[in-house]
Amino acid sequence: MATMNVLEAVRDAMRLEMRRDPNVFILGEDVGARGGVFLATNGFVAEFGEQRVIDTPLAESSIVGIALGAAVSGMRPIAEIQFGDFIWPAINQLVGEAARARYGTAGQRNASMVVRVPHGGGVRGGLYHSQSVEALLAHTPGLKVVAPSTPYDAKGLLISAIRDDDPVVFLEHKRTYRLVRGEAPEGYYTEPIGRAEIKRRGEDLTVITYGLMLHYTLQAAEQVSESEGIEAEVIDLRTLRPLDVDTVIESVRRTSKALIVQEDTPVASIGSEVAAVIADRAFFDLDGPVRRVTPPDFPPMPYSPLQEAEYMPSPNKISYAIRQLIDL
Amino acid sequence: MGKMNSTGRETQIASSAGPAGLPDGLDAAGVVEMYRTMILSRMLDERVWLMNRQGKAAIVASAQGHEAAQVASVRALDPSRDHFLIYYRQFTAMLALGVTPLELLCGFLAKSGEPMSEARQFPLHGSHPRVDLFSFSNVVGTQLPQAVGVALADRLRGDQGRVTIVYFGDGAASQGDCHEAMNFAGIHRLPVLFFCENNGYATSVPLQRQMAVESVAVRAAGYGFPGVSVDGRDMFAVYQATKDAADSIRAEGGPVLVEAKVDRLLPHTTDDDHTLYRSPDDIGQMRGRDPIDVTSRALRERRLMDEDGDKSIRQEARRLVIEATDRAEALPYPDAEAMYRHLYAE
Ligand SMILES: Cc1ncc(C[n+]2csc(CCOP(=O)(O)OP(=O)(O)O)c2C)c(N)n1
Ligand SMILES: [Mg+2]
């Protein structure tokens, strides 16, 4: 095992797959000589050449559209959208086209592509460098949406995503890039897409989360464990589509309480779906309401520091919600 | 023969004179075959329009008026190695590529055995098991960046000598995707042939309300590759321009934009009424230069076909259409449960 941060895990996964499979290539803004604005492709031009690490013009729709054309011709492109906030110009090629390429050809074409998307807030990014973009993407049949929170998962899931024959949106939380370090094997390994993971065992309630919020939730779980002896079970969804419903339901049946924590706004979100599934499949096992911790229903997110802190869920907000649910 | 020029200045192409007055690469038999495809297309097109009025075909976008441009552009390429990205009006091009009348009819009637999408999609959408073509979507212009990606895949694999031709309308030329695709193809000098079928209308909106310039072809200059404009009713002119473009692309000369000026003889689709926005004069004039008549006349003048030959081509086409119609009508619809397949790799 090596110790690495999430950014290094992402870089490692891409480098290994680029070495293994000549059909893998990268395209995006500043991914070449600059190595990406976050340095995810640092050193790639030197190793793989400009042909396979393509600096594109500033035009997101064509980044995804060109990736799609190459994918259905047998390649495995990795398209980088510089920030999640700039994915909207590409949304038609992604949601309208890539997601339906297989279905609309009755299985004749593989849209074997990955769209990597650094996203999320708490980085003083303001309204246009902080957005969570998962809800619409996870809503879309035909896409897979992955949102890892640890280096181990990021590397194993990204290798799986690159090898997947369907379009995978890979959401990398910007704040985890350098902040979150952990162990991950040096060489090749894969983690399965579509499988959640219980990251902390507990019997008093189930907290369901993903991305940066996994780390805040684990901190909150330790707080309530130390202060009140409340033991929270924490589920990291890891994949937002397809959702691992079984892991969630199995846990909620044991604990009888469910709290969902997300950085995205509440309406028509991942949390809405998880709550609906729990209401459907574990209703008679519940002994309290399904609660959510989310930001307020406002655009993400103010630049000014007190307002940004007000907006973002935090370990304290999460532990408060845990106590409330337990005390009900 | 007009030359490609890198300034993208519009170049007038006149039919050149090879043996028997035919452009290089075309022989008498080939020319008659092209005409045969045009006639088959026209008759099938008339039939499906009728079947819409009978309540059998939910929607039809007709290729009437586009036939010469489509058949000649396909003929100028090499379907055994080139990639075709079509759009919904590519009825004739598909026949020229070897898609059968029965397969097309299955698309219009949404019948079992439809090869492109198993009738999930509108007619002419999907991919084809025998022919290297696809059209994922109804959303105009989306095929342009995708075509650039197809050409990029060839480049990355070192697969040389293939052309990716992407068809689009004058309306689609206004989409941002068109700009993004041409810009990228120009920068990387990718082997893409942008083929615009300019029929002067995006549904009801005429060219003057779509662009401030005379032609789509002049825009190529802004992307650093040549653009040519041809009379799309003249099969020989379209063939020559497309062949020159393909030759130049195969010689690693980078992308070329070919614009064929055509008429859309019918309303935009079976759901449209073009008398709301076109004058009877306009419609009459357009009918007077129907590419079927233009081509028939040209072939007879060049003695490639006589009156009887024309008649027997039409008879044969009529027979094929009737036969295909009978077979398509007898086929069942796909099962309802079939809709649940192929969302993800199986
Ligand atoms: C993005 C988008 N907007 C609107 C439409 C509705 N629509 C379908 S075809 C069409 C006109 C297209 O005109 P053009 O590209 O010139 O092709 P033509 O039909 O004339 O061959 C419109 C507006 C669409 N399909 N896609
Ligand atoms: Mg038009």
Side-chain angles (χ1 to χ4, degrees):
Chain A
M1 287 277 190
T3 303
M4 59 181 80
N5 62 29
V6 169
L7 181 66
E8 288 159 347
V10 165
R11 189 188 299 136
D12 203 22
M14 287 195 286
R15 189 191 286 124
L16 288 171
E17 285 300 282
M18 291 276 282
R19 284 178 187 162
R20 190 186 63 83
D21 182 353
N23 289 329
V24 178
F25 71 99
I26 292 171
L27 72 169
E29 294 155 10
D30 306 297
V31 299
R34 173 73 174 76
V37 292
F38 296 101
L39 299 177
T41 52
N42 191 26
F44 278 38
V45 170
E47 180 170 355
F48 303 108
E50 283 186 341
Q51 280 242 338
R52 290 179 72 196
V53 189
I54 304 170
D55 266 334
T56 65
L58 199 36
E60 284 75 10
S61 181
S62 58
I63 292 173
V64 175
I66 290 168
L68 174 57
V72 300
S73 305
M75 304 298 286
R76 295 195 175 274
I78 304 171
E80 179 176 307
I81 298 293
Q82 198 160 73
F83 287 84
D85 312 64
F86 311 129
I87 201 171
W88 308 118
I91 217 70
N92 184 48
Q93 286 289 351
L94 190 54
V95 168
E97 304 287 313
R100 294 162 201 226
R102 178 185 304 284
Y103 191 74
T105 62
Q108 293 180 72
R109 297 275 181 164
N110 289 342
S112 47
M113 57 195 274
V114 177
V115 181
R116 286 184 45 246
V117 189
H119 82 141
V123 293
R124 300 294 313 283
L127 266 62
Y128 297 100
H129 292 79
S130 303
Q131 294 174 23
S132 292
V133 298
E134 60 268 35
L136 174 62
L137 301 166
H139 180 71
T140 302
L143 293 181
K144 295 182 180 179
V145 183
V146 177
S149 55
T150 66
Y152 185 97
D153 289 347
K155 181 173 166 184
L157 280 163
L158 184 50
I159 292 176
S160 293
I162 295 167
R163 296 179 186 179
D164 202 284
D165 283 339
D166 287 300
V168 181
V169 181
F170 201 82
L171 300 171
E172 300 160 11
H173 199 292
K174 302 192 292 284
R175 197 162 155 77
T176 67
Y177 268 159
R178 291 191 167 76
L179 201 66
V180 178
R181 295 188 72 78
E183 295 208 318
E186 299 263 6
Y188 290 98
Y189 68 96
T190 56
E191 276 294 291
I193 292 173
R195 202 91 57 77
E197 188 176 70
I198 297 173
K199 289 260 167 47
R200 184 185 196 280
R201 289 277 173 184
E203 55 280 348
D204 297 326
L205 83 164
T206 300
V207 189
I208 301 123
T209 187
Y210 57 94
L212 175 67
M213 290 301 126
L214 182 266
H215 303 286
Y216 290 5
T217 300
L218 289 172
Q219 286 174 35
E222 290 312 309
Q223 282 175 17
V224 295
S225 170
E226 276 164 30
S227 56
E228 282 113 317
I230 299 170
E231 296 306 334
E233 179 142 308
V234 179
I235 295 180
D236 181 1
L237 289 173
R238 303 197 299 180
T239 298
L240 307 181
R241 173 183 274 271
L243 210 53
D244 181 358
V245 173
D246 289 344
T247 298
V248 172
I249 296 300
E250 187 277 326
S251 172
V252 172
R253 284 196 175 138
R254 273 190 285 108
T255 65
S256 304
K257 291 188 200 318
L259 177 72
I260 301 155
V261 180
Q262 68 185 33
E263 186 183 317
D264 196 6
T265 48
V267 177
S269 67
I270 303 298
S272 316
E273 178 61 20
V274 172
V277 163
I278 293 170
D280 183 21
R281 291 200 28 202
F283 184 79
F284 297 106
D285 300 289
L286 290 172
D287 66 5
V290 177
R291 282 272 162 88
R292 292 187 287 173
V293 176
T294 74
D297 198 15
F298 279 78
M301 75 189 42
Y303 173 61
S304 198
L306 297 183
Q307 291 183 1
E308 187 189 63
E310 169 72 14
Y311 186 93
M312 284 287 282
S314 65
N316 283 340
K317 291 176 191 170
I318 298 164
S319 56
Y320 179 78
I322 291 174
R323 288 189 190 101
Q324 272 210 320
L325 191 53
I326 292 292
D327 289 347
L328 273 175
Chain B
M1 167 61 226
K3 281 271 171 293
M4 303 285 167
N5 56 63
S6 59
T7 62
R9 197 156 41 81
E10 190 175 349
T11 311
Q12 230 30 65
I13 305 245
S15 315
S16 74
L22 295 175
D24 271 356
L26 281 186
D27 58 13
V31 169
V32 173
E33 189 53 37
M34 287 161 77
Y35 179 67
R36 204 187 295 278
T37 304
M38 289 175 64
I39 293 292
L40 179 60
S41 174
R42 177 62 62 94
M43 287 189 172
L44 202 54
D45 199 306
E46 288 168 351
R47 173 56 61 103
V48 287
W49 197 271
L50 205 67
M51 292 177 99
N52 169 267
R53 300 315 190 217
Q54 296 171 330
K56 292 174 181 168
I59 185 153
V60 177
S62 162
Q64 293 186 39
H66 290 233
E67 290 101 335
Q70 291 186 13
V71 80
S73 65
V74 170
R75 186 78 195 192
L77 275 98
D78 177 358
S80 72
R81 58 175 164 159
D82 296 334
H83 315 287
F84 293 77
L85 279 82
I86 56 157
Y87 78 105
Y88 52 79
R89 210 177 284 292
Q90 236 71 37
F91 210 109
T92 324
M94 291 191 59
L95 288 170
L97 283 163
V99 179
T100 67
L102 178 62
E103 288 174 327
L104 284 170
L105 276 163
C106 283
F108 285 100
L109 304 186
K111 289 299 185 75
S112 197
E114 193 285 316
M116 293 186 69
S117 74
E118 291 177 6
R120 284 172 177 176
Q121 293 228 51
F122 268 12
L124 280 61
H125 287 72
S127 187
H128 199 284
R130 290 193 319 275
V131 185
D132 188 347
L133 64 79
F134 70 80
S135 170
F136 293 144
S137 142
N138 228 201
V139 184
V140 305
T142 50
Q143 70 272 31
L144 289 146
Q146 292 163 14
V148 173
V150 172
L152 180 64
D154 279 342
R155 164 78 52 86
L156 288 168
R157 280 192 292 255
D159 206 348
Q160 284 177 352
R162 293 180 195 268
V163 174
T164 299
I165 183 168
V166 55
Y167 293 93
F168 59 107
D170 48 290
S174 294
Q175 286 283 336
D177 268 1
C178 182
H179 161 71
E180 293 190 21
M182 289 183 181
N183 190 39
F184 191 97
I187 291 165
H188 293 278
R189 308 199 65 66
L190 288 169
V192 184
L193 202 166
F194 294 98
F195 193 96
C196 182
E197 289 178 26
N198 181 350
N199 58 18
Y201 284 94
T203 310
S204 70
V205 180
L207 218 55
Q208 315 83 267
R209 288 275 173 272
Q210 298 187 62
M211 54 187 77
V213 287
E214 280 267 301
S215 71
V216 176
V218 298
R219 293 190 186 167
Y223 305 110
F225 55 81
V228 295
S229 213
V230 287
D231 178 356
R233 303 158 201 95
D234 180 346
M235 171 170 108
F236 300 110
V238 175
Y239 175 85
Q240 189 68 62
T242 315
K243 183 76 166 50
D244 289 347
D247 289 347
S248 157
I249 292 166
R250 280 190 228 283
E252 308 275 303
V256 180
L257 168 55
V258 175
E259 173 185 27
K261 297 207 167 161
V262 296
D263 292 307
R264 194 193 74 203
L265 294 178
L266 295 186
H268 175 61
T269 65
T270 39
D271 291 335
D272 182 31
D273 171 5
H274 66 173
T275 62
L276 293 172
Y277 53 86
R278 276 172 149 175
S279 72
D281 267 8
D282 279 350
I283 294 173
Q285 267 176 24
M286 174 173 84
R287 293 209 164 279
R289 50 178 193 244
D290 184 330
I292 297 280
D293 301 337
V294 171
T295 311
S296 169
R297 220 178 301 127
L299 263 56
R300 279 182 280 124
E301 274 165 15
R302 290 171 191 239
R303 304 197 180 289
L304 296 166
M305 174 182 80
D306 59 15
E307 203 87 27
D308 281 350
D310 199 351
K311 217 173 270 170
S312 75
I313 285 172
R314 286 168 197 258
Q315 267 165 9
E316 172 66 1
R318 193 165 298 120
R319 193 186 63 73
L320 288 171
V321 169
I322 290 169
E323 185 188 291
T325 310
D326 289 347
R327 287 179 64 192
E329 290 206 81
L331 287 168
Y333 291 118
D335 289 341
E337 296 74 38
M339 67 161 278
Y340 295 110
R341 293 201 56 197
H342 301 305
L343 180 58
Y344 296 100
E346 288 173 0

